Amino acid sequence: MGRMDRTGRIGWITGASSGIGRAVAAELAGGGWRLGIGARRITPLREVAASLAGPGPHAALELDVCDPASVAAWAEGLRQAVGQPDLVVYSAGWGIFEKVHRTSDEDWDRTIRTNLTGLFLVTKAVLPGMLDRGAGHLVNILSVAARTAFPKNGAYNASKFGALGFTEALRGEVRGAGIRVTAVLPGATDTPFWDALGDRWDRARMMPPSIVARAVREAAEAPPEAMVEEIRIAPILGNL
């Protein structure tokens, strides 16, 4: 099978209603990609789709990455609406800041299901089509917390360490099939993820999500003979 067609590129993005996912959607649409996007909050998701530049029409479909039926319906809906994806960006995420002994079972489960199980479910939904075509690119937005452990981040670290291991194992499986797999490990990025923490963190020191989005686009548009395996990008002053 041939390599990715560099014209008429189609990208799917999870977690696109806000934060890094929304920034990636804007960056790719501005570069001429046609997009299918998903998130649990359908109203802001549709607002994002309506705001995008590029060759549209872009498609916005509700998606709960924790629900296998929702993932399957989202993938099938986007195939009908925009076509098979050349690129899938997993940007859905959730986390808390809490010590291990104070972490509720519910918060642990939601963190693992969103950041790790959801990644598995979305990958399973899109990978067969890429394997059939012999081309495609999976970009997983992880975190610096996938390699560096932080106090009060037990659930989040566990999910992101696991997601990085999954991403690296997947890359080994599909490397010879024409499919690229990229792990993106941003440091602190100024997104709604931090809203619940009030003024406990200096958000002026964080990166804007547009910086991460630009790195994703550059990896996605690299020559097909090359694979950007991992992107580590951090605020200039380092971790908070």
Side-chain angles (χ1 to χ4, degrees), residues 143-185:
S143 167
V144 64
R147 290 203 180 276
T148 302
F150 298 98
K152 300 180 72 174
N153 271 251
Y156 193 71
N157 274 131
S159 69
K160 294 298 185 177
F161 269 66
L164 180 59
F166 172 81
T167 300
E168 293 183 347
L170 175 65
R171 185 185 302 119
E173 291 181 10
V174 303
R175 184 184 295 277
I179 299 170
R180 302 188 291 183
V181 179
T182 301
V184 182
L185 280 62

Side-chain angles (χ1 to χ4, degrees), residues 186-197:
T189 305
D190 189 8
T191 71
F193 179 85
W194 304 90
D195 288 351
L197 300 176

